[in-house]
Amino acid sequence: MIKAVFFDIDNTLYSYDQAHAAAMEKLVKFGEVEFSLAPKRLRRLLDETQQKIIDRLGTNCAAIHNRLIRFQCFLEALQYPDLTKAAQMDQIYETAFLDAMVMEPDLPVLLSELRKSQVRIGIGTDQNAHAQYRKLERLGILTYFSRIVTSEEAGAEKPDEKFFRLCVEKAGCRPEECVFIGDNIKKDVEGARWNGLRGIWYHPGEKEEEQREYPVIHSYAEGLRKILSL
């Protein structure tokens, strides 16, 4: 019997790709005016900056998602004398990102039905807590979740054992009684399965013909039946 369901956030509860594209468009315009950087060069320099941060910290660390650190290091690489622009860039990106967020269809209905079924509902996400809380607040669904695990709190990114162990601990049930839903096969689905949870791949759009060894949800309208049947 399923007692708890955890959801990833980005590209699972809303379209991260769409929101990120809108935020980068605003950031590129700022870079053209403030730094006289062509769009391609600004994007390339930001990518290079992010890679340097990953080289320094590794990939199993929530700090690699911190945009303020990324923008700070970007300005340092440019030898730009005013680091207040890092905070300004962060604000420009975040405002545009939050404004562009679009929640996945039928998600509130599914969350309401899970709550009626007395299933414990949680969040399991890489990133820092502040950023992810802001997203849930903007979507208007924070009140549905009674448990939240971020990689910042867990001290490790998905699919690390520490992350999923904390999810199970907060769920207050056995791993096999806990479902984890996400868009990333390796991090969300296989990571959950490797650690004894039941992983479900959220993959909206056309249904694929090939058989998979794990359940797939193509829409949240079909989600409740598939979750509770596990």
Side-chain angles (χ1 to χ4, degrees), residues 23 26 28 35 38 51 61 76 80 97 137 149 151 171 173 188 216:
K26 293 286 188 181
V28 162
F35 310 122
Q51 188 56 53
C61 173
E76 290 169 346
Y80 195 81
F97 188 100
E137 288 172 337
V149 174
S151 59
C173 60
D188 299 319
V216 181

Side-chain angles (χ1 to χ4, degrees), residues 83-207:
L83 288 181
T84 63
K85 298 301 180 185
Q88 190 173 351
M89 291 173 71
D90 189 53
Q91 185 62 46
I92 289 169
Y93 181 96
E94 181 178 52
T95 299
F97 188 100
L98 294 174
D99 287 345
M101 289 177 67
V102 177
M103 184 164 53
E104 291 295 286
D106 300 309
L107 177 60
V109 175
L110 172 63
L111 295 174
S112 295
E113 290 300 318
L114 286 174
R115 189 157 61 182
K116 288 178 185 177
S117 300
Q118 298 185 324
V119 173
R120 303 156 201 168
I121 312 173
I123 287 290
T125 176
D126 289 340
Q127 258 276 14
N128 63 72
H130 176 79
Q132 301 305 72
Y133 264 82
R134 290 292 303 276
K135 293 172 185 176
L136 295 171
E137 288 172 337
R138 177 53 63 96
L139 292 172
I141 56 175
L142 180 57
T143 56
Y144 284 104
F145 302 101
S146 57
R147 294 150 175 84
I148 294 180
V149 174
T150 62
S151 59
E152 181 181 38
E153 179 186 5
E157 300 258 290
K158 295 176 287 186
D160 194 283
E161 176 188 2
K162 290 170 60 179
F163 184 95
F164 287 100
R165 187 166 62 235
L166 184 56
C167 289
V168 172
E169 178 185 323
K170 290 196 176 191
C173 60
R174 297 193 303 273
E176 62 270 21
E177 297 172 325
C178 187
V179 169
F180 198 99
I181 301 172
D183 69 296
N184 189 297
I185 292 176
K186 180 178 180 180
K187 285 191 165 217
D188 299 319
V189 183
E190 293 180 350
R193 289 163 60 88
W194 291 336
N195 289 284
L197 293 79
R198 298 175 181 265
I200 295 181
W201 185 31
Y202 179 65
H203 183 60
E206 294 184 7
K207 297 185 178 182

